Amino acid sequence: MLWSRAGNRKKTSKDNADPEAQLVERLKQRDEPAFLELYDRHRRSVYWFLVHMTGSVALAEDLTQGVFVAILEKISSGTIEQFDSGKGALEGYLLGIARNLAREERRKTYRFASLESVFEAPEWERFLDKFCAENQTQDAETLLAAQSDLKLLYSAILDLPQPYRETIVLCSLQEKSYQQTAAILQCSEGTVASRLNRAKALLAAKMQAPAADKVKTSAG
């Protein structure tokens, strides 16, 4: 039986304990509402990480489900007991699983799908709307230019070698700290900083090339 009955649930900790630590304890006790709460709280973060890593909405959706299936399996087998909330956040734990699934998928297929599925998704439109609102972009010409630049940047990110792509996705797109990123990628904070700097340099070079081509075209 995967889920324990509510009446048999042990008391977790004091009422003023850290909410995430309480959630972890409830997961360890096979509390079904705790799993649903985990899903609701972190699904979006996991999904967007996988979109950024794979460039495919469909694949990101499948792998997101895979992340939470893996959690169910850990709950069922009891290996969820190994998670220590004092050493990291649940979100980081989930993103670590997502990272491994994305790497495994890449090894199997060698390449990910086209970004067109991302650009056609409703989530992309919401992302673009948010970007334009934050940058006070309103006129149609500027909106089109912004959308074109964002697509170019997104494609450039997907072309990065995996260690650099993971780092810039976590630090720049998902706004994780060096400490959080290091925990997810299982490396030092110094390595995170080095990879991030290298990733930004590679992106700058990729973004400059199309700009130079535009100049040549207009000059011709």
Side-chain angles (χ1 to χ4, degrees), residues 2-212:
L2 176 57
W3 305 117
S4 64
R5 294 182 179 179
N8 293 333
R9 192 189 310 159
K10 296 182 291 183
K11 292 183 178 180
T12 53
S13 46
K14 295 180 181 179
D15 292 339
N16 61 353
D18 174 55
E20 178 147 305
Q22 287 186 335
L23 180 59
V24 171
E25 288 306 312
R26 288 167 56 204
L27 288 170
K28 291 178 179 179
Q29 293 167 30
R30 301 186 178 187
D31 179 31
E32 183 175 4
F35 174 77
L36 298 176
E37 182 178 337
L38 177 77
Y39 183 85
D40 289 341
R41 186 183 297 182
H42 297 300
R43 178 203 168 276
R44 186 172 179 80
S45 175
V46 170
Y47 167 77
W48 271 110
F49 173 77
L50 287 166
V51 168
H52 297 320
M53 292 305 298
T54 66
S56 166
V57 167
L59 186 53
E61 289 173 347
D62 288 344
L63 294 181
T64 297
Q65 295 302 314
V67 169
F68 289 96
V69 167
I71 291 295
L72 284 174
E73 291 173 349
K74 290 177 182 296
I75 293 172
S76 180
S77 66
T79 54
I80 192 71
E81 296 281 347
Q82 298 171 4
F83 176 75
D84 184 355
S85 59
K87 295 182 179 179
L90 272 172
E91 183 186 21
Y93 185 57
L94 293 170
L95 290 175
I97 296 173
R99 176 200 182 212
N100 291 336
L101 289 180
R103 284 191 162 195
E104 181 181 343
E105 187 68 26
R106 193 172 188 87
R107 281 195 296 268
K108 287 192 298 184
T109 60
Y110 297 103
R111 59 179 299 176
F112 286 132
S114 166
L115 274 172
E116 288 308 309
S117 63
V118 176
F119 299 146
E120 294 170 0
E123 290 87 349
W124 173 262
E125 293 299 326
R126 287 194 287 269
F127 174 76
L128 184 62
D129 289 344
K130 181 181 177 183
F131 173 84
C132 293
E134 289 175 349
N135 290 275
Q136 299 181 336
T137 302
Q138 294 181 345
D139 65 277
E141 185 176 351
T142 307
L143 281 171
L144 288 172
Q147 186 168 13
S148 177
D149 288 344
L150 282 173
K151 286 183 176 181
L152 184 63
L153 175 61
Y154 223 66
S155 299
I157 288 173
L158 196 66
D159 283 340
L160 290 173
Q162 184 142 346
Y164 301 133
R165 185 168 70 254
E166 292 171 341
T167 305
I168 204 158
V169 165
L170 289 168
C171 290
S172 299
L173 298 182
Q174 297 200 281
E175 300 180 334
K176 303 301 177 191
S177 67
Y178 282 9
Q179 182 179 16
Q180 291 171 318
T181 301
I184 294 167
L185 300 182
Q186 299 180 338
C187 62
S188 69
E189 291 181 42
T191 298
V192 169
S194 176
R195 288 179 182 175
L196 185 60
N197 288 335
R198 179 59 178 159
K200 288 180 177 179
L202 290 171
L203 284 178
K206 289 176 180 292
M207 296 294 286
Q208 286 171 1

